[in-house]
Amino acid sequence: MITSIPDKCVDLQPAKSLVRRHYACLADATSQNVAERLAMHLDADCHWYGMHPFHEQTGPADIAAAFWSPFLSAFSRVQRREDIFFAGLNEIDGFQGQWVCSMGHLMGLFDAPFLGIPATRKIAMLRYAEFNRVEDGKITGTALFVDLIHLMIQAGLSPLRAPQTAAHLVQPGPLTHDGLLFGPQDPRASRMTLARINEMIGSIDRANALARPPSPQEELAQDWHDDMIWWGPAGIGATYTIDRYIEQHQRPFRTGLAGRAFNGHLCRMAEGTYGGFFGWPNLTLTNSAGFMGVAPSEVRADMRVVDIYRRAGDKLAENWIFIDMLHFLKMQGVDILAEIGR
């Protein structure tokens, strides 16, 4: 597998423009016409990856029926509050495919129940990260990750069996306020970002292979600034600095879960100082010692994960994470959605 973005000149602007037109079409869509709006820019056979309970869908009509129509029936006056937008060539297919990533919140008035989550008639912020594959002027593939547990907490629910170890926040965009890469970026910066992400991905295996593995602080310091910010999903939460990241996420994760199998990614890319990836699933693990309040078991469970990064200088500074927690927990016999209202 090639691990450096090739020197060939590829214009990513048409792909970005297509996705921005797509979002403009969705801006005033309704539950009744959203399938038609999706069909304006999605290929008829667009393959859509949606977190539990939406699952995989094909084509605008099924995508609308699974997610967009129910969402727009529950939320009114929806705004896309976008914090990060970038495009890139997909490392996973040898830098052939063009993908566009968008991340932020879908904000609206939560006026009717959604998936059994009670309406609040107040502002609600649905965290999202979306990857769109663009081919021949159409969107041919989409992965949409939304943080439903985060929404449940806003609605006053306590859906988990244990307090999360880090902070619950409506998460902001980048510290530098430069995450909307609507224009072309320096290819050299893109290569540096992807290289650092790849170094970080391999750091765990490299550390484990050493006769004297580094401490967690030493391992993380190779790829991260000391004042790193890890914007984790609801159920884990957000944490700040290497030491607090270890305390509030890495240590509970590594001590609670075992048998980590890395399954790979479907897309991994970078542009400028931003980059990210998603997998389906990224990881398979065993809850061997108890995690998120769920009792230990021998069940192998999948984590579908999005990671989006900001690089500052030669290291990573911020990381936004989405995990399909509902799917991960349901595989262990814990159905969070089914438990609402019991």
Side-chain angles (χ1 to χ4, degrees):
M1 173 65 70
I2 304 168
T3 57
S4 179
I5 300 170
D7 292 332
K8 64 180 180 179
C9 182
V10 176
D11 185 5
L12 298 170
Q13 292 307 113
K16 292 183 185 180
S17 295
L18 174 67
V19 173
R20 293 187 70 188
R21 292 195 301 272
H22 169 56
Y23 289 162
C25 281
L26 290 178
D28 61 353
T30 67
S31 59
Q32 290 77 32
N33 70 13
V34 68
E36 297 174 14
R37 296 295 181 90
L38 290 169
M40 294 177 68
H41 296 102
L42 268 59
D43 186 80
D45 295 320
C46 178
H47 190 89
W48 187 87
Y49 296 92
M51 300 168 73
H52 179 81
F54 312 115
H55 306 295
E56 297 180 52
Q57 307 293 333
T58 301
D62 288 349
I63 295 168
F67 174 76
W68 283 106
S69 288
F71 175 70
L72 293 174
S73 295
F75 283 72
S76 62
R77 307 293 291 270
V78 174
Q79 294 183 0
R80 183 180 297 269
R81 309 282 294 193
E82 193 170 47
D83 294 310
I84 292 176
F85 181 91
F86 66 95
L89 300 178
N90 183 11
E91 178 184 2
I92 304 306
D93 66 5
F95 299 103
Q96 298 303 307
Q98 297 185 26
W99 289 75
V100 179
C101 177
S102 172
M103 188 210 81
H105 295 82
L106 297 173
M107 185 196 83
L109 296 171
F110 193 1
D111 284 343
F114 180 55
L115 305 173
I117 304 168
T120 64
R121 299 193 71 254
K122 300 176 183 178
I123 288 176
M125 309 279 277
L126 181 62
R127 291 184 70 221
Y128 82 90
E130 185 174 72
F131 287 72
N132 285 293
R133 182 176 64 237
V134 175
E135 299 176 277
D136 300 323
K138 285 285 189 179
I139 295 170
T140 60
T142 298
L144 176 63
F145 283 65
V146 292
D147 195 335
L148 292 173
I149 295 177
H150 189 263
L151 180 64
M152 292 179 201
I153 295 171
Q154 292 174 68
L157 302 179
S158 300
L160 301 173
R161 285 159 166 71
Q164 60 185 32
T165 49
H168 170 73
L169 300 168
V170 173
Q171 298 184 1
L175 173 67
T176 46
H177 300 283
D178 61 356
L180 300 176
L181 308 187
F182 295 141
Q185 303 299 307
D186 183 352
R188 293 170 298 180
S190 306
R191 293 187 192 100
M192 287 179 63
T193 302
L194 185 62
R196 177 52 63 194
I197 291 171
N198 281 325
E199 284 292 314
M200 181 274 304
I201 291 170
S203 64
I204 296 176
D205 290 338
R206 288 195 301 274
N208 290 340
L210 295 174
R212 182 184 174 277
S215 69
Q217 285 85 355
E218 291 169 334
E219 177 190 322
L220 287 162
Q222 297 176 47
D223 300 303
W224 296 91
H225 288 284
D226 179 66
D227 61 351
M228 64 174 285
I229 309 176
W230 193 83
W231 301 107
I236 299 173
T239 187
Y240 173 45
T241 74
I242 284 178
D243 285 345
R244 295 297 173 88
Y245 168 81
I246 293 168
E247 173 190 336
Q248 296 170 353
H249 171 59
Q250 187 192 73
R251 186 176 297 126
F253 189 93
R254 291 190 178 182
T255 57
L257 302 172
R260 174 185 178 273
F262 176 58
N263 302 310
H265 299 140
L266 295 188
C267 176
R268 184 161 68 239
M269 62 179 185
E271 186 184 28
T273 56
Y274 290 85
F277 54 72
F278 79 92
W280 202 261
N282 305 44
L283 304 172
T284 302
L285 313 103
T286 301
N287 180 4
S288 60
F291 185 66
M292 293 174 57
V294 178
S297 74
E298 297 182 358
V299 174
R300 299 288 285 164
D302 295 334
M303 280 192 173
R304 303 162 173 169
V305 183
V306 164
D307 275 74
I308 297 172
Y309 301 91
R310 177 176 69 85
R311 176 180 58 80
D314 63 350
K315 293 185 179 181
L316 300 173
E318 292 188 83
N319 183 197
W320 294 262
I321 301 89
F322 296 75
I323 302 176
D324 191 347
M325 288 296 190
L326 297 185
H327 176 69
F328 175 69
L329 295 173
K330 193 171 187 297
M331 290 183 75
Q332 299 173 69
V334 177
D335 190 338
I336 297 296
L337 289 175
E339 293 177 356
I340 295 175
R342 285 184 182 174

